[in-house]
Amino acid sequence: MAITTAMCSSFKRDLLKGYHGMDSDTFKMALFTSSATLGASTTSYSSTNEVSGTGYSAGGQALDNGSVTLSGTTAFVDFNDETWTTATITANGALIYNTQTNGGSGTTDAVAVLAFGGDKTSTNGDFVVQFPTADASNAVIRIA
Amino acid sequence: MIDFKVYTSSNGPLSAEQLADMAANEIINISDTAPEPLRQQAHLFRENVKRVVHKYITRGLNSNLDYMVREIKN
């Protein structure tokens, strides 16, 4: 059981097929326990080994303000930082997935996996995932 | 490589120091592949940025508290 940071392989394929509207579809971030196995081979969201606790709902939260920018020869995607407030949860990693793939809705196609490098716990407090700086060298999703 | 950060808190929101750290992350990025002297200077600069941001976040919080106390008294 392990969570490994990766851009999901199926996402790369689906991106080239034009299935993902990075600045128009609704993307979500779901949190997972250390019992989960997530990585480049993850193809979709599943509630198995998802975090549960006060302040957290199954399926995670929608990511706000998805934007696509071209800087020089690199295109990149950014989202607002994600915050669970007044939450009592422990998470070991996260999955970003698209709920509207290919113009549909209610889908669960995986985008990227974030490994926290250990358990992170909030107790009646904030649980915040800060995305990297939105530029051509650091943004969460980049095509150079 | 996705260079994200996770911040958590207990019995309340993130602290001023955590918020200052988040701000510093957005202001300066330090490449793992940069030459060591540059990395050291960049880390020092980052700590200075964090210190200044923390100072003014704290000042802002205190100012807000002061404002609320005055409003309650009035």
Side-chain angles (χ1 to χ4, degrees):
Chain A
M1 307 295 178
I3 298 176
T4 306
T5 296
M7 190 185 298
C8 299
S9 300
S10 59
F11 168 70
K12 298 174 186 174
R13 177 199 62 208
D14 293 346
L15 195 62
L16 295 179
K17 287 187 173 184
Y19 289 174
H20 293 277
M22 300 307 300
D23 58 355
S24 56
D25 291 353
T26 299
F27 293 84
K28 281 189 167 184
M29 177 184 286
L31 301 177
F32 291 86
T33 70
S34 58
S35 298
T37 300
L38 298 168
S41 61
T42 300
T43 58
S44 63
Y45 159 80
S46 163
S47 61
T48 303
N49 295 314
E50 187 174 6
V51 160
S52 64
T54 303
Y56 184 88
S57 300
Q61 292 186 163
L63 296 172
D64 294 327
N65 292 329
S67 62
V68 178
T69 304
L70 181 63
S71 176
T73 57
T74 301
F76 61 86
V77 177
D78 185 44
F79 298 101
N80 285 359
D81 298 340
E82 194 59 31
T83 301
W84 283 264
T85 57
T86 321
T88 299
I89 50 179
T90 296
N92 196 274
L95 173 70
I96 298 171
Y97 65 99
N98 190 348
T99 67
Q100 292 178 255
T101 317
N102 198 18
S105 61
T107 59
T108 58
D109 289 356
V111 173
V113 174
L114 308 179
F116 296 164
D119 282 347
K120 304 291 184 183
T121 300
S122 65
T123 306
N124 190 31
D126 288 352
F127 192 106
V128 181
V129 178
Q130 183 185 32
F131 282 106
T133 302
D135 63 26
S137 302
N138 298 286
V140 62
I141 298 169
R142 306 183 301 276
I143 299 178
Chain B
M1 179 66 180
I2 305 173
D3 187 24
F4 61 93
K5 301 282 191 301
V6 178
Y7 294 86
T8 62
S9 63
S10 295
N11 299 315
L14 297 184
S15 67
E17 182 164 7
Q18 287 175 306
L19 293 170
D21 199 59
M22 291 177 70
N25 291 340
E26 288 211 23
I27 292 168
I28 181 168
N29 290 292
I30 304 170
S31 170
D32 290 337
T33 57
E36 185 58 24
L38 287 180
R39 281 166 41 83
Q40 287 180 3
Q41 285 212 330
H43 279 291
L44 284 173
F45 177 65
R46 185 189 180 285
E47 285 307 304
N48 276 336
V49 166
K50 180 181 169 183
R51 182 178 54 78
V52 171
V53 172
H54 179 249
K55 173 181 161 185
Y56 283 97
I57 286 177
T58 304
R59 185 178 288 185
L61 290 171
N62 288 337
S63 177
N64 194 45
L65 280 174
D66 187 45
Y67 170 80
M68 288 194 294
V69 168
R70 287 185 205 180
E71 285 296 302
I72 291 170
K73 282 182 177 176
N74 292 335

